[in-house]
Amino acid sequence: MNEVDWHGAIATYSGSQLEEVVDLAEQVSQTLNQETERITSGGEYIRLEAKAVQPNR
């Protein structure tokens, strides 16, 4: 599975209500389209480079 298919996978497998699923899937798509840096709860640094992704809705 590649990034364009994450939107559908989230919608299919999250088990949440439809509105919540759409919101979550959109948040994932937005995150993929912008650079993101975080420190995990375990103290690890992660960085996702921006990647232009047109989600497969």
Side-chain angles (χ1 to χ4, degrees):
M1 176 183 304
N2 62 39
E3 294 90 348
V4 300
D5 295 323
W6 288 11
H7 196 281
I10 291 167
T12 301
Y13 298 110
S14 74
S16 297
Q17 298 297 320
L18 181 59
E19 187 173 317
E20 293 170 352
V21 169
V22 171
D23 288 344
L24 176 59
E26 289 301 321
Q27 288 175 19
V28 170
S29 296
Q30 289 174 10
T31 298
L32 290 171
N33 284 306
Q34 61 189 0
E35 183 174 311
T36 303
E37 298 179 0
R38 297 281 188 274
I39 296 180
T40 68
S41 60
E44 295 179 86
Y45 170 78
I46 58 170
R47 179 175 173 260
L48 298 175
E49 293 185 18
K51 186 170 187 176
V53 175
Q54 184 68 13
N56 181 9
R57 292 182 172 91

